[in-house]
Amino acid sequence: MAYKKYLLTITVGLFALSLFSQTTQKPILHARHWMAITGKPLGATAGATTFNKGGNAVDAACAMLAATSTMWDVLSWGGETQALIYNPNTGKVIGINALGVAPTGATVEFYKEKGYDYPPQFGPLAAVTPGTPGGLMTMLAEYGSMSLEEVLAPAMEMAMGYPMEGQTARRIEGSKDEIKKWPASQRIFLTNLGKETEAPDEGEIFVQKDLYNTLSKLIEAEQKALKEGKTREEAIYAAYDRFYKGDIADDFVKGVKELGGLITKKDLANWKVYIEEPLKTNYKGIDVYKLTSWVQSPVMLQSLNMVEQLDLKGMGYNSVNYIHALYQIMNMTFADRDFYYGDPYFPPAEPIDGLMSKEYAKARLKEINWEMNDPEVKPGDPYPYQNGKNPYLKYIEDWAKEMNGKTGFVPNIQSPSSEFPKGTEIYNGTTSIQTADEEGWVVSITPSGGWVPAAIAGNTGIGLSQRAQSFVLNEKENPYNVIEPGKRPRATLTPTLALKDGKPFLSFAVQGGDSQDQNLLQFFLNMVEFDMNVQEAAEAANINSFQMKGSFGQHEIEPGKLLIREDTPDYVRKKLRDMGYTLQIRERTSGPINAIYFDWEHGSMWGGSSNFGEDYGIGW
């Protein structure tokens, strides 16, 4: 029987009567030994297979990453990988930065001369260097226990043919005009070329021989190194070198050049994965870890620093005041994201210490208008909170003029497909991977990039990333995120780990572009403040703000637009409209959240996988 829970909160004045009553559509996933959750059933199966062969959580996560990258729907091998890993041997959380960089020649002047306001959404000029192969091999070499051959086995079997899913088939069909611009993409994706429906049929065995050959070359490099007496780790890095410095790199660059792209072999050879110390904040005794400013992750930490000052339980779950408070706080932290976040390995240095300051959070909270939405929220000034002087205050003064337009993350939502009820739109691009094992390893990954309609590089089977579109060309918009060769774009991809009493508490992530940390913030609060279990929190009604600068396309914004779930009471809707909000209403608003909760009292894991899409988990 599905788990049922009631929370009744009676409030007065502007605080609405809030009734939380929910039966989850998916059951909680319980496990003792291991757990594997991701956005695709076949991906979860790859993880389960790896666990059953003796792999740890890192091995399983790498197998799931390889499998989902082979499935194209939400990412591919030419994309980027962002991860957090809890190492039980050290008790530390590790960050993995495997985001690609802008190639040689990718300058502001280059794109402006071609008439772009931002780098394009699709095609070879949208590409940064591939990050996922390097990220996968680095994680496996440093923290896994298996060989690359063992971990890639499910993906290679899939590359030789797996049943195409209906969702992916429809996306290919809907994108076929773009796909036909790129010869290898047309050859691989449009298996029924010339017919009325040119994409693969649902259930058709989809074969990718080019990709299989590329993955086989990685295994050949590993096996050769092992025969030469190299260690497991050294052999995996030999495969890494073949991809980024050897004949695979040659073939990839040749394919990119034939498409009109910019990536050079030197770009591939110079790129590297960074193993980083993540950021963290403490929320009521819970340490929450996120990656730093090269992705949007710090916005959740900034938001937690602000909401910690409020009586959320007193407001009531999804009351008018609760919704208003979250919307205003997220607008402030996302305004900071839009102006201050960028690649920390390039100057100017982001003011991350000031942004993470709890005193800064208290000061920002005082700026909130508690009666009405503020459509002109600007970035704050974190520099005084790190004993510095802001060199870009002049740009903030003109912030509103730079922010005109409509929101950027709505165009990245797919129309509902036939197997999902109305209102359960699936966010294009990205998936999430959550794994854990009884030894204590925990992995949270948000990989993305190279999604359909990807331009495929020659005979490699590797689709190009589209992440360069997240750069800006105008310093006034974000002086820390202006495109230049070798630089990483500020991405949206944002895995999360939380520790309590020095032990894993939660591992969670979600896909969905600019909505990711909005949904993750509310998921976390649902569990910590409103006593929901992991599955309830994954399915619960979230709100989304559209009042931030989009990270895709034309980077648009729509102040005051607010997404709410269709069961929001009429009196709450009316009050929100009176406060200046424009409402968008959908059947489901949680986003495709995947999560693992660690039950230390009973020595078990609880898995949550939202009812938003095809997300799926397996545990034992």
Side-chain angles (χ1 to χ4, degrees), residues 422-470:
K422 182 180 180 182
T424 60
E425 292 91 337
I426 306 303
Y427 290 82
N428 279 353
T430 314
T431 192
S432 62
I433 295 169
Q434 307 298 309
T435 61
D437 63 38
E438 59 190 337
E439 294 179 1
W441 289 95
V442 185
V443 184
S444 180
I445 310 179
T446 314
S448 190
W451 53 74
V452 174
I456 296 176
N459 62 0
T460 65
I462 304 291
L464 303 187
S465 167
Q466 301 98 339
R467 193 61 58 176
Q469 65 183 297
S470 294

Side-chain angles (χ1 to χ4, degrees), residues 271-345:
W271 179 84
K272 65 179 181 178
V273 178
Y274 289 107
I275 299 176
E276 302 177 332
E277 181 177 350
L279 297 174
K280 74 171 181 178
T281 196
N282 186 277
Y283 183 86
K284 299 184 178 181
I286 301 170
D287 288 325
V288 183
Y289 290 83
K290 303 287 280 189
L291 297 167
T292 189
S293 60
W294 54 278
V295 287
Q296 70 179 349
S297 290
V299 296
M300 180 176 166
L301 304 183
Q302 287 188 246
S303 298
L304 286 173
N305 287 345
M306 294 178 73
V307 300
E308 189 177 33
Q309 314 302 320
L310 304 175
D311 180 10
L312 299 181
K313 290 182 179 179
M315 291 182 180
Y317 170 74
N318 278 0
S319 67
V320 170
N321 273 18
Y322 181 79
I323 291 172
H324 182 65
L326 288 188
Y327 192 96
Q328 299 306 310
I329 286 170
M330 291 191 298
N331 290 350
M332 287 183 167
T333 58
F334 274 88
D336 283 346
R337 178 204 74 168
D338 293 341
F339 189 75
Y340 290 114
Y341 290 16
D343 186 346
Y345 300 96

Side-chain angles (χ1 to χ4, degrees), residues 206-224:
F206 182 57
V207 178
Q208 303 173 76
K209 291 183 180 179
D210 287 352
L211 178 60
Y212 178 86
N213 291 337
T214 294
L215 299 180
S216 295
K217 290 178 181 179
L218 298 178
I219 304 309
E220 289 172 4
E222 179 187 49
Q223 292 176 338
K224 182 176 182 292

Side-chain angles (χ1 to χ4, degrees), residues 471-520:
F471 280 115
V472 301
L473 304 182
N474 181 354
E475 184 184 74
K476 292 181 179 179
E477 293 184 50
N478 181 343
Y480 306 85
N481 189 39
V482 179
I483 195 169
E484 59 180 295
K487 189 175 185 179
R488 287 164 166 81
R490 195 278 301 152
T492 55
L493 310 160
T494 177
T496 320
L497 287 179
L499 272 58
K500 188 174 183 180
D501 300 324
K503 298 184 291 188
F505 172 65
L506 274 174
S507 176
F508 55 111
V510 67
Q511 68 188 67
D514 297 292
S515 73
Q516 287 181 37
D517 275 308
Q518 300 188 60
N519 288 326
L520 294 177

Side-chain angles (χ1 to χ4, degrees), residues 221-239:
E222 179 187 49
Q223 292 176 338
K224 182 176 182 292
L226 289 172
K227 288 178 181 178
E228 293 172 352
K230 300 294 178 62
T231 65
R232 183 191 72 89
E233 294 85 352
E234 290 170 337
I236 293 169
Y237 281 125

